[in-house]
Amino acid sequence: MDRIDHAFRALSQRMNSLSAPGHAIAAPEPLTSLIAKVNAAKQHYQPGVPR
């Protein structure tokens, strides 16, 4: 095993031993909300208008 292989293996093992973050992951945004945001952005977009 090369030095790089040994170092990578040690790093991988260290990362796997870390505990998960303590904060809860927020629930994903509902699809209907994302669609509404896309539709709102489409309404504001005007082709040919310089920004």
Side-chain angles (χ1 to χ4, degrees), residues 4-47:
I4 189 77
D5 293 331
H6 180 70
F8 183 76
R9 182 173 179 224
L11 178 62
S12 296
Q13 288 175 343
R14 190 178 300 166
M15 288 173 61
N16 287 335
S17 69
L18 293 175
S19 62
H23 66 283
I25 297 174
E29 203 168 342
L31 186 58
T32 53
S33 176
L34 295 173
I35 291 171
K37 286 182 181 180
V38 168
N39 288 336
K42 283 182 180 178
Q43 300 239 338
H44 291 293
Y45 177 70
Q46 297 176 0

